[in-house]
Amino acid sequence: VKCVSIILILGLCTVLVANCGSSPTPTPTPQPTNTPAPTPTPEDSAERHHEPAGGFSYVPPSGWELVESSRIQYKIAREPGAGDFAGNLNVVDEAFPGPLDEYVEASLHNMSTFFEGYRQISQEEFQPAEGPPGVRVVVENAQQGRVLHQTFYFFSTEQKTFVVACTRLAEAGEEFDAVCEQSVKTFRIESE
């Protein structure tokens, strides 16, 4: 199973967001002219963020900013004005034609090897507002001298697995988790 790269990217994303002394200037998400936007549903709002190249969309938490990183393919949603560490939501994907449970198992093994102080808190099925269920895994680990609380949401299609990661400082509290999960509930796979 090839999901080592996903875990390294998620760790890297945490490092990038943690080291942002000043917030990158958010840029508006352009709608591509050669790809038609999905037909809005009643649950959609003008706030839905589309990643046409990734084939997914979601509604970021209200007031959060979308920022680009040269090392992460898709924009990162992050809390504004959070000091030296901004809680964030990011999405990565990887070609994987196998079953979701196999991918999750391999990812958890890789996390336990890669992350210092790794501790798995829970693992359970997760049902977004649309589409098939995924898996939610909550972990804590240490990165750059900080204890992080991370919730990973895994979703898959026949050929691709998406991992949505919500990362906060362990002491930040559960309000962040509720806000982030509400956003992940809107995660929608638009196409393969």
Side-chain angles (χ1 to χ4, degrees), residues 35-154:
T35 306
T39 304
T41 63
E43 296 79 32
D44 275 344
S45 69
E47 305 301 317
R48 181 168 280 278
H49 172 66
H50 295 270
E51 288 283 357
F56 67 88
S57 68
Y58 65 94
V59 177
S62 179
W64 286 28
E65 54 193 3
L66 292 170
V67 296
E68 292 184 358
S69 167
S70 61
R71 297 183 184 184
I72 304 296
Q73 182 175 3
Y74 307 118
K75 289 187 177 182
I76 300 166
R78 56 179 260 165
E79 293 179 295
D84 69 342
F85 184 92
N88 64 88
L89 178 156
N90 66 75
V91 181
V92 293
D93 60 19
E94 185 167 40
F96 184 77
L100 183 60
D101 60 342
E102 185 179 308
Y103 189 93
V104 171
E105 182 180 335
S107 294
L108 295 178
H109 171 75
N110 291 337
M111 282 186 219
S112 69
T113 303
F114 178 72
F115 293 137
E116 179 184 321
Y118 172 83
R119 178 175 71 96
Q120 182 177 333
I121 297 170
S122 66
Q123 178 177 341
E124 60 196 350
E125 185 175 286
F126 177 78
Q127 182 63 58
E130 297 179 44
V135 175
R136 174 181 42 219
V137 176
V138 180
V139 305
E140 285 191 352
N141 59 76
Q143 294 181 37
Q144 295 190 331
R146 295 178 167 106
V147 178
L148 300 179
H149 181 92
Q150 295 185 286
T151 305
F152 296 97
Y153 300 85
F154 297 85

